[in-house]
Amino acid sequence: MTKAPVKKVHIKTLKNNHYQLIVDGAPFVVRGVCYNPVPIGQSHDYDFWSDANEPWKKDGELMKKMGVNTVRFYQPGENFGAVRQVVSDMYRLYGIRTIMGNWLKFWNYPAPFYDDKDFRDKVKAEVFDMVRALKEEPGILFWVLGNENNFSFSGKINPWSSPRIDKLGDPRQCMLARAESYYTLINEIAREIHKIDPAHPVAMGNGELVCLDVANQFAPAVDILACIIYRGKTFGNLFDNLRQVYDKPLVFVEFGCDAYNAARQEEDEDDQAAFLEWQWSEIYRNLAENPKGAGNCIGGAIFEWTDEWWKHKDYDANGLSVHDTESHWSNGSYYFDIQAERNMNMNEEWFGIVKIEKASGSGLDSRTPRKAYYVIREFWKHPRDVKEDAKRK
Amino acid sequence: MKQEEGRRKKEEGSVLPVSGGRRLLMPVVPCLTWHVIAVFLFSMFYSLFSPLCIYADEAAGLKAKIAGRGEDARSSLKQLVQFYVGRVDHDGLISYLKTLADAGYEPLPEIYFYIAEAQVAQIGHWRRTKDWESVYDKAAGLRKDAVSYLRRAEEALAGEHHALRLEIKFLKWRLTYEENPEAGVGLFNDFSNTARDLPAEPGIWQLLERFDDEVAALNDDSLLRRFEDILLAAAQSRSVSDAELKASAEKFLEKKRASAARKLFLVYLERQKNDKARFVEEALRLAGRFGSDDSGAAQDASFAEELYNKASVTGGLSVLDMDAHYRRAFNLERMKDYEKAVQAYKDFAVSYAESPRRGEVYFRMGVLAAFGLKDMAAGEEYFSKAKDFSKGRLAAAALYHLGLIHHAKAEIDQAREFYKAALSTLKSGGFSAEKEELGLLAGERLKELDEKKDMKYGLRLFLDAVLQGATGPGGPPSVSVTAQPATQIVGKPVVFRVDALVSDTGCMAPEYTYEWAGMLGGMANIPGTPELTVEYVSSGLHVACVAVVGPQGPEAVRHSSIAGLPVTKASPDKPDDVSVAGVGFEIVDIEGAEAATEPAPQAKDKKADKPSKSTAVSRALEAFTPSEMTTD
């Protein structure tokens, strides 16, 4: 039996210049979640794709009930057969599509040398292998290249350079040169993917809007901008700003709110739910055909589906089974707990809209949806403009 | 195969020891022992399961009474509802009540109401236990059902069921409020009107108190204020006894709900008006409760002053005893009403001329007059009296401040004399001038005078602004410093906080710097912070000062234009022409064991020098003898 032919997923530009994602001939709003359900006691090297417990089946069921229509994976596993099975299960059993990402070897050791031809070739080869292996899966929605890799341009995170860039001397010139080098690579990959797989768009995973002016010049082949944004309750002027800087359809591939109040030092489901509802409300306001917004948003993927207990001090094997409450970074936009000690209020291990606990007997951790799960479920059923509602009050 | 093997082993194991054991034991254990074992086993069983039996019995008994429709049916129904709710068995309750409703049981309004109440309690339970699935999947249906039952209850309600009518209205509002607070406004008004129109009836007040607890839990201040008005209306209707009213008001005060407590106490006091003595006694008692306590915190300082005033207007100033006199003045000081505070302290000093507290009182008056009222002459007079009526550190502090006043007025010789006197007073009191903050400050001032240098920058800014008392166009901001607590023990932190209120900048807050000076326990000035935490190492009264320095703007008290003194820059990076937006100060009282300095024997008796305020007046009254009226 042959598989049904994959229909084209594409971006449509409407007469009013709004952008719409078209899937199987109909508009599609990405109602997604970032999906990286590392079990309690395991770390980032956990092989989700080969997990005999098949967590995606339990999760897929819960996601379907919530109204999730897309999951975002950061990177496929090495066994493409297993990956295809998961993508297929998610789509066939639950109607959930897959945004498939690729780190572009960002976390490789030594640092990613995007200015080095050999390295670039290796990155390309890996991405093209992925596309070739998975492009026929009907569940694939689009590809995402990178994830906040642009934060490395300034050298503050995962620094990289090249003799050519170092010669420039001036830090700003070096940063722009790194951006140019990286975005050129993205452009080359995107153009090649279009040839290999014309049925799926290519998105670029960018942290905030940093260096998008450079991308505008060197990465025109990208179809969708996939942003990672943590601005608290509101995305602010992001939608309008993007129109000026890099006018592409926008999908959020990470946004959200942790469910731990670092000031009160207790789980906080209420604020997480309220923040997520505000964020979704803004996403909906900026979808195509909504006259109140910029019309350039095509949806988003909440960070994230389940908590990840491994994130704090992942080098400590004992800590992998502990739900740590020590905060990792500070972000004043999440004002409800910014009064925490040293203003450290962001808890990486608590971003799930589903909490996990060690279940006795079963190999799979138990799943308990948080309040946000239900609030967003209701929002997707009956979208409302939270800001307008608040103003009326 | 493995299963069969396992079963056989189990059977073998169970047969052999039991039958064999029994055969061995029977002949040697007397029959009595078996009785004891049986009784023990029964009692174990009973103790484990009797609560369930009692519960079941109790429920069955209540249900029988309800079914019997006797006189106690209604109260039994209420008890049964409490019984089920206490066991969090909402389903059981709803199911039972629905059976009654379906059978057309009377009194039907109660049945319908209790069904709705149980449904609301069920939703609340889900929320509390974070059972979100039930909250989001079942609550909407249950809420709709509850609304329908409330409507039926209202329809079936006979005219005289006032309490039930009120409960229905309240629950209707709660149900809507939880979904949409805005939509609940009309229902709240309906409830409010019903409550106001109700005739006096026993039990209504308790009902309102219960509602108040529920409203308070919603953390909606404006709603709570509206509810307090309902309580006030009910209190004024005289359906509430004096005792109930007083108890309610006390409860509010305990819960730090000063606004509600104040409203009810005013009604309560109004009812005591015919008995003057009682009125005064209660007013003074309440003034003490609402006013500033030893830590300087007050539930409602201005209401306390209103009560002191009511008491003295009713019974004359003499109704205020020494304690009340002092507390009133202290309360006024904390309210930053310096004029009235100075007057109240003056009244105290005149009325209790023999009090050992006079020194402290005059010192406070000196600070308030000089720095608060910017009346240096009065300040000088009070500091002089403080020096006369005290000894040790307090006398030295008074002398130091006299020095400051003269120093600020460029009366250099007098200033020098007072600083020297402060140092010698410390020494004669057995304190080390090198270790005492006061000694170090006096030494610092003397050095400035000797070297013809300008005063320390922050202190100079503070005194300039006090001396000039000028207001720029638009007026200076209102600056107030609050110490928390105002009475602290040695080595424990006191937090000074500056609030600068500017009226003409809209929502834009000017970027002020804060130049701290005065007695800061050796803490260095941190100009950028409106909050300073200080730990004092010596006991006594300490005065902290701050000059709030603004960006060049309308405040404009110019440092360069001071009276007569040579102006020098405190340091190259300090401008000599700055605008002082305002000044503030605070007096803190430090008590307890010394940490850094060893006072001389005569100074160790701190109680005689200055009793702790908490029991200060009563202790002073007990301990006071004419021989203790010593001066330096």
Side-chain angles (χ1 to χ4, degrees):
Chain A
M1 207 171 88
T2 53
K3 282 187 177 178
V6 176
K7 288 185 183 172
K8 193 171 167 64
V9 178
H10 66 101
I11 294 293
K12 184 178 172 185
T13 306
L14 306 184
K15 281 180 183 170
N16 58 3
N17 216 24
H18 285 187
Y19 297 122
Q20 213 163 37
L21 183 68
I22 304 294
V23 179
D24 294 345
F28 185 93
V29 175
V30 177
R31 294 195 302 265
V33 287
C34 295
Y35 189 36
N36 193 35
V38 178
I40 294 168
Q42 302 220 36
S43 189
H44 52 82
D45 49 4
Y46 155 68
D47 185 6
F48 161 78
W49 311 97
S50 309
D51 191 334
N53 293 308
E54 299 185 318
W56 58 89
K57 290 192 174 168
K58 171 81 180 164
D59 290 328
E61 208 174 307
L62 271 174
M63 286 178 194
K64 188 183 176 183
K65 282 184 186 167
M66 182 184 172
V68 169
N69 64 10
T70 307
V71 284
R72 184 224 171 172
F73 292 109
Y74 287 81
Q75 173 92 12
E78 287 171 7
N79 177 355
F80 285 126
V83 177
R84 269 197 297 269
Q85 186 60 52
V86 173
V87 174
S88 170
D89 281 352
M90 291 300 275
Y91 182 63
R92 201 170 33 84
L93 300 176
Y94 313 110
I96 294 170
R97 294 173 189 272
T98 292
I99 297 174
M100 185 56 78
N102 192 293
W103 293 111
L104 308 182
K105 293 187 179 291
F106 187 58
W107 296 105
N108 275 31
Y109 183 81
F113 298 112
Y114 290 123
D115 205 41
D116 177 87
K117 187 176 181 306
D118 285 349
F119 187 82
R120 289 165 80 97
D121 288 345
K122 280 178 191 164
V123 170
K124 286 178 188 175
E126 184 185 298
V127 176
F128 300 152
D129 281 352
M130 171 188 84
V131 174
R132 284 190 194 100
L134 303 175
K135 66 176 182 166
E136 298 299 331
E137 272 306 320
I140 291 290
L141 189 63
F142 54 80
W143 314 104
V144 176
L145 305 177
N147 183 76
E148 294 183 338
N149 301 28
N150 56 316
F151 284 150
S152 65
F153 302 161
S154 64
K156 287 176 186 160
I157 294 171
N158 215 12
W160 58 275
S161 199
S162 73
R164 178 185 73 87
I165 293 171
D166 290 342
K167 266 188 194 166
L168 296 171
D170 176 59
R172 176 156 173 80
Q173 293 307 317
C174 288
M175 186 188 82
L176 293 175
R178 276 191 281 269
E180 180 185 332
S181 180
Y182 175 77
Y183 288 130
T184 310
L185 172 65
I186 293 282
N187 201 53
E188 288 165 8
I189 296 173
R191 279 166 56 185
E192 191 59 28
I193 291 177
H194 287 151
K195 288 179 195 162
I196 301 168
D197 174 26
H200 300 107
V202 180
M204 176 176 69
N206 210 71
E208 269 289 341
L209 307 189
V210 176
C211 286
L212 283 183
D213 48 342
V214 183
N216 193 41
Q217 212 177 333
F218 297 102
V222 167
D223 302 301
I224 299 167
L225 176 68
C227 269
I228 294 100
I229 304 285
Y230 292 95
R231 292 189 180 184
K233 219 173 189 176
T234 168
F235 297 110
N237 63 355
L238 185 139
F239 303 95
D240 291 327
N241 199 353
L242 198 60
R243 282 283 191 190
Q244 311 301 319
V245 183
Y246 190 56
D247 192 3
K248 300 274 181 189
L250 165 72
V251 65
F252 293 97
V253 283
E254 267 192 33
F255 70 96
C257 177
D258 62 331
Y260 189 80
N261 188 310
R264 293 204 308 262
Q265 301 198 338
E266 63 184 20
E267 189 180 18
D268 183 354
E269 298 190 42
D270 292 334
D271 280 314
Q272 184 196 36
F275 270 52
L276 275 167
E277 195 182 22
W278 267 84
Q279 291 160 349
W280 272 107
S281 177
E282 290 206 350
I283 288 173
Y284 268 62
R285 196 188 308 141
N286 289 281
L287 292 177
E289 308 278 33
N290 189 335
K292 288 181 189 167
N296 55 354
C297 191
I298 60 169
I302 299 168
F303 185 81
E304 63 181 328
W305 178 245
T306 57
D307 288 340
E308 295 185 70
W309 287 28
W310 64 274
K311 286 194 159 183
H312 181 67
K313 293 182 184 169
D314 58 322
Y315 51 82
D316 176 10
N318 295 326
L320 302 179
S321 300
V322 177
H323 204 188
D324 286 291
T325 55
E326 196 173 321
S327 301
H328 294 71
W329 45 293
S330 173
N331 188 334
S333 306
Y334 296 79
Y335 52 82
F336 58 88
D337 59 351
I338 192 60
Q339 286 182 324
E341 198 179 345
R342 295 179 295 120
N343 299 133
M344 296 290 278
N345 63 330
M346 303 303 282
N347 292 75
E348 279 280 344
E349 293 196 2
W350 293 76
F351 270 84
I353 55 170
V354 171
K355 51 184 165 187
I356 51 173
E357 275 171 312
K358 202 78 194 160
S360 57
S362 158
L364 198 62
D365 297 330
S366 73
R367 264 78 167 148
T368 309
R370 287 203 168 98
K371 185 181 179 183
Y373 171 98
Y374 295 99
V375 168
I376 300 307
R377 185 191 73 178
E378 294 306 304
F379 178 87
W380 285 340
K381 277 189 209 163
H382 313 288
R384 66 193 186 100
D385 195 320
V386 180
K387 194 176 173 185
E388 289 297 320
D389 286 356
K391 266 189 203 167
R392 273 199 297 275
K393 282 174 193 171
Chain B
M1 180 65 191
K2 276 185 177 175
Q3 278 177 350
E4 275 180 28
E5 200 179 329
R7 191 162 60 234
R8 197 167 58 241
K9 278 186 178 172
K10 195 178 171 189
E11 282 165 1
E12 285 166 1
S14 65
V15 171
L16 289 174
V18 174
S19 55
R22 202 173 285 160
R23 274 197 296 276
L24 281 171
L25 281 168
M26 277 299 278
V28 289
V29 179
C31 287
L32 188 63
T33 312
W34 288 105
H35 281 109
V36 171
I37 291 169
V39 169
F40 173 74
L41 287 174
F42 176 77
S43 63
M44 283 294 288
F45 175 85
Y46 189 79
S47 65
L48 279 173
F49 296 103
S50 63
L52 294 178
C53 299
I54 289 167
Y55 284 144
D57 287 351
E58 191 183 332
L62 289 168
K63 283 179 183 175
K65 283 180 187 172
I66 294 162
R69 302 182 183 225
E71 281 181 3
D72 53 358
R74 186 168 273 168
S75 64
S76 298
L77 183 61
K78 204 167 191 173
Q79 281 180 54
L80 191 73
V81 169
Q82 286 164 356
F83 166 83
Y84 272 108
V85 171
R87 293 175 65 191
V88 203
D89 184 4
H90 303 106
D91 284 341
L93 176 60
I94 293 166
S95 157
Y96 171 71
L97 291 170
K98 280 188 173 174
T99 316
L100 291 181
D102 292 344
Y105 185 87
E106 290 292 343
L108 267 176
E110 272 99 327
I111 303 288
Y112 292 145
F113 172 74
Y114 287 138
I115 292 174
E117 197 180 38
Q119 288 168 328
V120 173
Q122 174 77 81
I123 297 169
H125 178 69
W126 287 335
R127 281 190 188 283
R128 279 194 302 282
T129 55
K130 296 187 177 180
D131 179 359
W132 303 119
E133 191 174 358
S134 298
V135 170
Y136 284 92
D137 288 349
K138 299 181 195 164
L142 212 56
R143 198 175 284 119
K144 204 172 163 188
D145 213 20
V147 169
S148 146
Y149 274 107
L150 285 175
R151 196 181 307 122
R152 287 158 78 176
E154 256 184 328
E155 284 165 6
L157 200 61
E160 70 275 15
H161 286 106
H162 299 305
L164 185 58
R165 187 183 305 280
L166 202 57
E167 291 213 67
I168 292 169
K169 299 273 187 203
F170 186 76
L171 200 57
K172 273 176 82 177
W173 164 72
R174 278 300 306 270
L175 269 169
T176 314
Y177 179 87
E178 275 172 18
E179 275 289 274
N180 182 356
E182 204 180 32
V185 172
L187 289 170
F188 188 83
N189 290 341
D190 189 23
F191 162 75
S192 169
N193 293 336
T194 307
R196 284 166 193 270
D197 294 344
L198 277 186
E201 195 177 82
I204 295 285
W205 182 253
Q206 285 74 17
L207 201 57
L208 289 175
E209 279 189 311
R210 203 191 80 208
F211 293 160
D212 178 82
D213 286 340
E214 289 185 39
V215 174
L218 299 174
N219 292 322
D220 184 334
D221 287 346
S222 67
L223 198 64
L224 201 56
R225 273 197 297 278
R226 291 202 60 199
F227 196 83
E228 285 170 8
D229 289 340
I230 297 174
L231 282 174
L232 183 64
Q236 284 166 336
S237 74
R238 282 202 168 263
S239 62
V240 194
S241 71
D242 285 6
E244 277 178 320
L245 193 54
K246 189 176 170 185
S248 270
E250 292 284 355
K251 260 192 268 174
F252 282 121
L253 203 55
E254 291 294 322
K255 287 191 270 188
K256 309 270 180 207
R257 297 260 311 273
S259 154
R262 187 185 63 224
K263 286 174 185 169
L264 297 187
F265 272 129
L266 277 173
V267 178
Y268 168 73
L269 277 177
E270 192 63 27
R271 292 188 189 181
Q272 317 303 318
K273 271 237 158 142
N274 293 333
D275 183 346
K276 263 191 180 181
R278 178 144 185 79
F279 178 87
V280 168
E281 184 190 344
E282 284 294 86
L284 288 176
R285 184 183 69 82
L286 293 174
R289 299 283 310 277
F290 279 91
S292 301
D293 61 15
D294 290 352
S295 73
Q299 290 248 26
D300 187 337
S302 60
F303 181 57
E305 171 53 21
E306 188 184 329
L307 289 169
Y308 282 123
N309 196 41
K310 276 178 191 288
S312 56
V313 166
T314 306
L317 206 57
S318 62
V319 298
L320 271 67
D321 63 7
M322 189 159 74
D323 189 19
H325 249 109
Y326 180 84
R327 286 199 167 275
R328 181 183 193 179
F330 182 63
N331 191 52
L332 286 162
E333 180 192 322
R334 298 297 299 169
M335 285 168 64
K336 313 282 178 198
D337 190 339
Y338 299 131
E339 203 166 340
K340 282 187 183 167
V342 167
Q343 185 56 50
Y345 278 130
K346 196 185 270 181
D347 290 342
F348 175 92
V350 170
S351 305
Y352 303 97
E354 295 176 344
S355 163
R357 269 203 125 141
R358 263 181 314 165
E360 177 209 325
V361 163
Y362 277 121
F363 183 82
R364 286 182 185 273
M365 287 165 71
V367 176
L368 302 189
F371 302 156
L373 301 177
K374 299 181 170 67
D375 182 347
M376 287 293 191
E380 195 177 341
E381 179 194 337
Y382 299 136
F383 280 130
S384 290
K385 285 188 175 168
K387 171 206 65 169
D388 292 342
F389 293 115
S390 60
K391 58 184 179 180
R393 284 186 176 125
L394 187 57
L399 286 161
Y400 172 73
H401 282 85
L402 281 166
L404 280 184
I405 289 174
H406 288 285
H407 198 155
K409 291 193 288 186
E411 293 162 1
I412 307 301
D413 292 341
Q414 291 98 316
R416 185 178 279 116
E417 288 311 309
F418 279 118
Y419 292 143
K420 282 181 180 171
L423 285 172
S424 69
T425 302
L426 276 179
K427 280 177 195 160
S428 65
F431 298 101
S432 161
E434 289 76 33
K435 288 182 181 172
E436 286 285 317
E437 183 184 17
L438 206 52
L440 293 170
L441 290 174
E444 200 178 351
R445 298 290 86 76
L446 276 172
K447 197 176 171 201
E448 286 161 359
L449 292 177
D450 290 345
E451 294 177 4
K452 292 192 166 46
K453 280 185 179 170
D454 193 16
M455 200 182 277
K456 193 176 178 179
Y457 185 70
L459 192 58
R460 164 55 68 198
L461 290 183
F462 175 80
L463 289 172
D464 283 352
V466 168
L467 263 181
Q468 293 179 65
T471 56
S478 162
V479 172
S480 91
V481 183
T482 311
Q484 196 55 255
T487 302
Q488 182 58 288
I489 56 172
V490 162
K492 296 282 179 189
V494 175
V495 180
F496 292 100
R497 183 169 180 80
V498 181
D499 290 303
L501 213 69
V502 191
S503 56
D504 57 354
T505 56
C507 61
M508 301 292 288
E511 287 180 14
Y512 288 127
T513 55
Y514 304 86
E515 295 289 347
W516 293 89
M519 301 164 78
L520 299 173
M523 172 62 71
N525 175 33
I526 307 169
T529 177
E531 196 172 288
L532 198 69
T533 303
V534 175
E535 287 173 15
Y536 289 102
V537 294
S538 60
S539 60
L541 294 182
H542 294 69
V543 186
C545 316
V546 70
V548 178
V549 181
Q552 301 296 314
E555 306 91 18
V557 172
R558 301 281 170 190
H559 175 45
S560 59
S561 58
I562 59 163
L565 266 186
V567 176
T568 55
K569 283 186 179 183
S571 67
D573 60 327
K574 301 282 186 192
D576 58 7
D577 185 13
V578 296
S579 66
V580 178
V583 289
F585 64 93
E586 182 75 313
I587 306 170
V588 285
D589 190 358
I590 304 300
E591 300 175 336
E594 306 303 311
T597 56
E598 270 301 313
Q602 67 267 36
K604 269 187 177 173
D605 185 9
K606 190 171 175 293
K607 282 179 191 172
D609 189 25
K610 198 196 75 54
S612 81
K613 234 188 335 287
S614 55
T615 51
V617 179
S618 53
R619 205 186 294 148
L621 277 170
E622 284 165 20
F624 180 72
T625 57
S627 63
E628 282 183 280
M629 266 187 64
T630 52
T631 58
D632 279 353

